[in-house]
Structures are given as structure tokens and as C-alpha cells.
Amino acid sequence: MRTQPWGLSKDDFREVIRRLRFRYRKWDVRAGGRCLVLPESLVLTVEEHRRVVATVERFSGLLARVERRLANSREALEGLGIPRESIELLLREPADGPLQLARYDLFPSTDGRWWVSEFNEDAPGGFNEAVGVPELLGGRAPGGRFLGDLRGALQEAFRASRRVAFIHATGYAEDLQHMLVVQDWLAQAGIDGVLCSPAHLEWRWGRPSFLGKSVDHALRFYPGEWFRWLPNRDTWARALPHLPMMNPLRRLIRQSKRLFIDWGGGDGWTDDDRRWVRDHAPLSEPYRPDQLDRWVAERPRWVLKEAFGRMGDSVVLGAMVGEAEWTRALTEAAKRPGDFLMQERFEVAPIGFEEGPMYPALGAYVVNGRFAGYYSRVAAQPITTHEAYHVATLVEDT
């Protein structure tokens, strides 16, 4: 993997950003006074690309098996940190629906492996840049081609639907921009849509409806653990058996970081599966208050994570903080130990950009189990937050 500048003039780059904002609705292209789109690309070899596709598709298949095994066990669901109210709704869903939209972030390490430390199966973002940048650059850039078709994959997934509900947290503009982009894509395929909050769900004439419009399917871009606060949970309980949803609440099983503690057990796993997971997923342990002294002593080795933290907002790397801050974080987690886990840190390999060395997260979309495109980011520190840069991902020409 290497990097390659786009080779655009400053005026041409500004025009790309302007169109990304207005044509692809990427309103939050700046943060902290910086443009968060780099005019550079990560360039993969053809073999690296094949390795990425094989990795994310294998993970998707393994996770589907884990989900089927755990979906009807209240004890297992509680152990993953899923709120009790969400569990009650999850158990109402029909088994094993086909609609999936996920993104898995692969971190290249200093030992040559690619690690996955969580699975974005609940409300993965990045649609604007993932499709907008390749299209604005004409499908290729210096160094190679853009591969994957997220737009086409979503159009195909909903082709049997007349109207789709785009369920999102309506108080967040960044969530709205994602739903507007997908609404545009499905409209191009002749599929109607309704933008809505999950609080807008009603049961009318034996069908689920949102804002007075009946729907055939839904795309959930609303965190599943937030369902506990909805005023219409009873309506959701009634409608869920009749509402095919891309990313049903069962995806909380895959989204929970506590899944990493012991997700290779049960029937259907081969020794090769278990070895493969150990080579790609870091060692993880349940958070136990009686182990606090050990984790303080081994601070550089560990990462503290909340089961459903997002955008790095509840991730603390022991190697990046002092002992006092580390101890405070561990002590705070002890108030809710079932919501946290400890994960062994791996060394992310930096890669050189024009602004200096940065740490990549190579993101790959999976739609219904198949690779559907890239959305990668880089950061000045080995942790990916909302302030990370988007960087286009290319595959070298053969």
C-alpha cells in the first residue's frame, strides 16, 4: 500500500470540494478549521485488494453465523451490553433477513497483518465521499482505479421495494445527509422514499407507515441502542415482524465490541476459522473491576472500549494517556463494567502523506455479504475519530 497525490491545482481541488458539498450533500467537509478530504489516495496492489475483499466477506459470513447462534439468547444479548428494551424489540424480528449494510475498517499493523477491532454493522457512514469522490474524479485518479459500486449495490438490494423508509436521528445533519444521498440513489432506480425518525412509525390498516406513508422496507440509520428511549416502542414491537429492514436490530450483536471477548465458540466453527480470527481480531477481555491494578500496571498494552461507543468517543488507549487519566477512565468504567471491555493494543503502521506520516483505517463496505466499495480514513494519531481525514482508495491497474 502506498500513497499518490491527485495532481489537481488548488482551484480544481476547491471545485471538487464545492461539488461534494452541494451535489453529494457533504456539508461537514470541514472540522477544526481543516478540510477533512485529502487530495491524495491510498493505492492498493491488485493482490492487496483481493485480500481485502476476501477478508471482509469472510468476516461477514462468520458474523452471520454468530448472529444466528446468539439472536434468541437473552443471556447472550445482555452479555453483549445490548439494552434490555432493545433486546425485547430484537426478539420480535423475523429470523435472518437478507438486508445488510456494513463497513469493516482494516488497520495495517507493523507486523504485516491487517486487524479489525470493531464491526460497523449498525449505522455505518461515509456514503458521500465513498461515491462522490470517485465520480467527481471521473472514476480514476493517478495511480489506479476506484473499485466497488455502493450505489448499485443498494439499488439492487431494494429493487423489489416501492417505497423505503430512511430512518435516522433527525436532530443530526450528518445523519440526514447520508439518508438524502441514498434517497437520491434509490429514486434514480424508481424507488420512492420517506425521510423519517423511528418515532414516526405508525401501524395503519395492517401495515407499517411513516408520516402517513406505508412502506415495504426500511433502512435503519439510527443507533439500535437508542431505541430504548423511543415513545412508540409498543408500535415497533407490533410492526417489526412485518417490516423488512436493512440492518435490523439483530445487527447490534455484530456491532457490540464485547462480541470480541468470546465470539468463536459454538457449533459450525472450524479450527481454521478460529485461527483466522486470532490472526485478525485482537485479544479481548471482559472489564472486571478486580483486575484494575493489573490494567494500571500494564497500561501501554491495553485499550479500554465501551460496547457501543461511536467515532472513538469512548476509546482510551493506555499508551496515549498518562497513568492518572488511565486510572480515572478505568475507575469510571467500573461503575458499569458490563458495558466495557479491554482489548489488547496492536501497532498500526503509519504511511507517508504530503502532510507527514499518518495512520490509516482502510474501510470496505459490505452489502448483503459482498464487497461494495471503499471508505478509508487517516489520522495523525493511531485512533480514528470524527476529525480523521477521508482519503480515496484506489487499486492499481493490472
Side-chain angles (χ1 to χ4, degrees):
M1 183 165 57
R2 59 183 176 85
T3 63
Q4 177 74 48
W6 292 353
L8 298 181
S9 68
K10 290 184 178 180
D11 287 343
D12 287 343
F13 177 63
R14 280 195 289 266
E15 180 62 14
V16 168
I17 296 303
R18 188 188 71 80
R19 293 184 180 183
L20 191 62
R21 279 173 165 163
F22 291 99
R23 185 185 302 176
Y24 295 91
R25 308 176 191 274
K26 179 59 181 174
W27 304 321
D28 55 345
V29 76
R30 299 184 67 87
R34 298 174 293 120
C35 177
L36 295 184
V37 176
L38 288 181
E40 300 179 66
S41 303
L42 288 174
V43 184
L44 306 179
T45 66
V46 172
E47 181 54 38
E48 285 173 330
H49 166 67
R50 289 172 179 161
R51 182 180 166 194
V52 169
V53 172
T55 299
V56 299
E57 291 186 354
R58 184 168 184 179
F59 264 126
S60 181
L62 290 172
L63 288 166
R65 284 149 58 184
V66 173
E67 182 181 288
R68 286 192 292 270
R69 177 168 59 87
L70 301 182
N72 293 313
S73 169
R74 290 178 184 270
E75 181 181 2
L77 298 174
E78 290 176 359
L80 293 173
I82 301 174
R84 184 173 295 107
E85 297 89 344
S86 295
I87 291 174
E88 296 305 319
L89 295 176
L90 186 159
L91 294 172
R92 297 279 297 169
E93 292 179 332
D96 205 23
L99 295 174
Q100 176 209 21
L101 169 59
R103 193 191 74 242
Y104 304 152
D105 295 334
L106 308 181
F107 296 90
S109 68
T110 54
D111 64 4
R113 287 187 283 178
W114 284 350
W115 293 90
V116 177
S117 59
E118 61 184 75
F119 301 104
N120 297 297
E121 290 263 7
D122 199 45
F127 311 155
N128 321 65
E129 303 101 309
V131 172
V133 169
E135 291 186 351
L136 290 170
L137 294 179
R140 62 180 301 117
R145 300 166 297 145
F146 296 100
L147 297 185
D149 182 10
L150 181 62
R151 180 207 305 259
L154 292 176
Q155 289 172 336
E156 174 64 20
F158 287 109
R159 63 185 174 86
S161 184
R162 292 168 297 176
R163 181 181 292 128
V164 175
F166 300 106
I167 302 168
H168 63 288
T170 53
Y172 294 88
E174 57 267 39
D175 290 17
L176 173 62
Q177 68 186 8
H178 282 88
M179 295 298 91
L180 286 170
V181 166
V182 180
Q183 184 182 44
D184 289 345
W185 296 345
L186 295 193
Q188 293 164 11
I191 303 168
D192 193 15
V194 53
L195 297 163
C196 54
S197 158
H200 292 142
L201 173 69
E202 297 178 316
W203 184 257
R204 304 180 68 177
W205 304 104
R207 287 178 58 88
S209 68
F210 293 84
L211 298 174
K213 297 181 179 181
S214 62
V215 300
D216 302 303
H217 295 87
L219 192 163
R220 180 174 64 84
F221 201 78
Y222 185 93
E225 69 272 22
W226 292 5
F227 270 63
R228 76 185 97 169
W229 298 306
L230 290 178
N232 60 339
R233 286 204 314 275
D234 290 345
T235 306
W236 272 97
R238 183 176 186 182
L240 275 171
H242 312 280
L243 181 60
M245 189 157 55
M246 176 168 275
N247 290 9
L249 290 171
R250 292 192 308 281
R251 296 295 183 264
L252 288 173
I253 296 171
R254 311 186 195 190
Q255 181 74 23
S256 172
K257 299 179 185 68
R258 285 181 62 88
L259 185 67
F260 281 73
I261 294 170
D262 182 23
W263 62 299
D267 298 333
W269 280 63
T270 66
D271 289 341
D272 181 63
D273 289 334
R274 295 184 178 90
R275 282 193 298 270
W276 189 83
V277 166
R278 286 196 297 270
D279 283 341
H280 292 83
L283 171 71
S284 301
E285 297 184 6
Y287 181 90
R288 293 176 51 189
D290 62 359
Q291 295 292 305
L292 191 145
D293 289 344
R294 175 170 71 94
W295 288 324
V296 169
E298 298 177 356
R299 173 172 53 85
R301 178 187 173 192
W302 295 101
V303 181
L304 172 68
K305 292 187 173 184
E306 189 172 3
F308 291 106
R310 297 173 186 274
M311 299 299 291
D313 63 358
S314 58
V315 176
V316 184
L317 277 74
M320 290 179 58
V321 299
E323 184 174 332
E325 184 176 348
W326 179 242
T327 302
R328 282 197 300 272
L330 292 172
T331 302
E332 188 66 25
K335 299 176 182 178
R336 296 181 291 118
D339 292 337
F340 288 85
L341 73 153
M342 305 298 294
Q343 199 168 81
E344 193 169 39
R345 183 175 66 93
F346 52 86
E347 293 279 353
V348 182
I351 189 167
F353 286 85
E354 290 189 338
E355 294 193 12
M358 286 192 276
Y359 298 89
L362 183 66
Y365 288 109
V366 178
V367 175
N368 294 352
R370 301 302 299 273
F371 168 79
Y374 285 107
Y375 169 71
S376 301
R377 291 162 294 165
V378 295
Q381 295 182 314
I383 180 172
T384 307
T385 70
H386 68 284
E387 294 185 338
Y389 294 99
H390 168 69
V391 58
T393 304
L394 298 170
V395 178
E396 289 180 348
D397 291 317
T398 55

